[in-house]
Amino acid sequence: MDNFVVEKSLPDKRFDQFLREKFPAASRGAFKRLIEEGHVRVNGNIVKPTHTPRAGERIEIHWPQPKPAEAQPEEMPLDILFEDDWLLVLNKPAGLVVHPAAGHEEHTLVNALLHHCRGSLSGIGGVARPGIVHRLDKETSGCLVVAKDDETHLALSKQFSDRQVEKIYNAMICGETARDSGEIRAAIARHPSHRKRMAVHDDDSGRAAHTKWRVLEKLAGATLVEARILTGRTHQIRVHFQFIGHPVAGDKTYGARQNKRLEEMTGYAAPRVLLHSRELAFAHPRTSKRVKFEAPLPEDFLEALKTLRR
């Protein structure tokens, strides 16, 4: 159980949204369900998800016992970079879906983790599933951390929310940049007409997003860059590099025209979105010691470099 007192009134904020921001490991939808089922009380009373938090209110959250996971354990190879009793860091291969969804009920990272961890998994939000603290797109490879218990999950989620986690990516982008380094500060929200895509928004509908980048190597028709993301928005690196006119190689969603030009110029067609989570650093929730992990570039990325080197 968690209990605390609301410090200040928030008349413009829903109760489920307020709780989501305070406990980022659980989704807003999960909190909406917990409130409606009576697992969250305000001054001992049941309220609606639309309740507005008021200063002095005492909040009690009774986390329910996790329900059995719908996904089934599945024996699959995992490239584990580090593992202890509280968390593991793995090198996710490109093409591996993280969570089961329509069309991808099997052969996902969750299926593999259910088998590997054998019940030692976090249950944030009332569902027994591996504690996926952050996600990587299906085609993105590299470092990903998983929590084995709720306390570790919440602590890691807070570090991500407070921007205390260092996330460094390698990306191959189309074209040659005019500068050798830069910063992109551009808010991101859902695309107004393509709901599965994200886009830069210059109005209040977008969430702040910040990416720093520098050139590592100039290639034929492309550039290898290092990108540090100071926020964690959906498709952030892909959207930001499209925004500055250099979409990620292989990204048909955000850069079909530029990728076609790259193929016409060089004869090279990227097999997937060439984005790799190279480094991940954070404070270990149990020891407070700063730890850093690095995943080497995969073979398809190395092949792309070999092909496009002048």
Side-chain angles (χ1 to χ4, degrees):
M1 183 182 78
D2 280 295
N3 64 81
F4 62 95
V5 175
V6 177
E7 295 180 356
K8 65 177 182 178
S9 298
L10 299 167
D12 298 325
K13 186 160 292 187
R14 289 170 54 110
F15 192 40
D16 52 4
Q17 181 185 1
F18 166 72
L19 292 175
R20 167 68 177 84
E21 293 175 0
K22 191 168 183 65
F23 299 92
S27 67
R28 178 173 167 178
F31 273 118
K32 183 174 184 291
R33 184 175 66 253
L34 291 176
I35 295 167
E36 290 173 341
E37 292 176 355
H39 297 296
V40 182
R41 302 288 181 112
V42 177
N43 294 334
N45 301 315
I46 296 176
V47 297
K48 294 182 179 179
T50 54
H51 172 78
T52 56
R54 301 183 181 91
E57 290 180 330
R58 177 165 293 280
I59 312 300
E60 292 184 359
I61 304 174
H62 298 268
W63 300 101
Q65 288 297 315
K67 300 175 183 177
E70 295 181 4
Q72 297 302 308
E74 189 174 342
E75 186 172 5
M76 295 168 58
L78 291 173
D79 184 0
I80 296 175
L81 302 173
F82 172 83
E83 182 173 13
D84 61 17
D85 291 339
W86 303 284
L87 59 86
L88 63 86
V89 180
L90 56 89
N91 180 12
K92 186 188 91 67
L96 179 63
V97 175
V98 173
H99 278 293
H104 293 284
E105 292 85 2
E106 300 177 335
H107 315 311
T108 72
L109 179 58
V110 162
N111 297 111
L113 288 169
L114 284 168
H115 177 272
H116 177 80
C117 296
R118 301 182 187 278
S120 176
L121 301 167
S122 70
I124 294 295
V127 178
R129 60 175 176 81
I132 306 293
V133 183
H134 63 125
R135 301 188 186 190
L136 295 178
D137 295 338
K138 175 184 176 181
E139 295 189 23
T140 302
S141 55
C143 294
L144 186 144
V145 62
V146 176
K148 290 186 175 182
D149 59 72
D150 291 357
E151 187 176 348
T152 301
H153 195 150
L154 289 167
L156 285 171
S157 293
K158 189 175 190 307
Q159 288 189 55
F160 274 92
S161 179
D162 293 345
R163 303 178 185 178
Q164 296 171 346
V165 177
E166 185 175 39
K167 297 163 284 184
I168 301 178
Y169 289 75
N170 281 153
M172 185 175 293
I173 60 174
C174 295
E176 186 172 321
T177 60
R179 296 180 296 158
D180 288 337
S181 63
E183 294 189 42
I184 308 168
R185 294 177 182 267
I188 294 174
R190 288 285 172 191
H191 193 285
S193 54
H194 301 282
R195 301 306 297 167
K196 291 186 177 181
R197 295 175 55 183
M198 309 300 289
V200 166
H201 285 238
D202 56 7
D203 56 25
D204 293 338
S205 63
R207 300 182 69 188
H210 184 191
T211 302
K212 291 184 177 181
W213 61 272
R214 67 184 181 95
V215 171
L216 296 178
E217 185 177 354
K218 294 181 180 180
L219 307 161
T223 305
L224 177 66
V225 298
E226 174 186 280
R228 295 172 179 259
I229 56 173
L230 284 80
T231 50
R233 309 306 178 208
T234 301
H235 298 175
Q236 178 173 323
I237 292 176
R238 297 166 63 190
V239 172
H240 270 180
F241 278 106
Q242 180 205 37
F243 178 63
I244 65 171
H246 299 282
V248 178
D251 196 340
K252 297 177 181 179
T253 300
Y254 294 106
R257 178 171 54 84
Q258 292 92 333
N259 271 278
K260 183 178 180 181
R261 184 184 305 133
L262 175 63
E263 184 176 358
E264 291 172 348
M265 288 174 56
T266 65
Y268 174 75
R272 51 111 173 173
V273 178
L274 289 179
L275 182 61
H276 178 71
S277 174
R278 193 187 79 222
E279 291 184 22
L280 192 65
F282 52 86
H284 194 292
R286 296 294 175 146
T287 66
S288 298
K289 180 182 178 181
R290 190 78 177 172
V291 290
K292 183 170 76 170
F293 306 96
E294 183 169 357
L297 288 174
E299 285 300 319
D300 58 356
F301 214 120
L302 294 173
E303 185 63 30
L305 286 172
K306 180 180 178 182
T307 302
L308 296 176
R309 279 186 171 129
R310 297 175 178 176

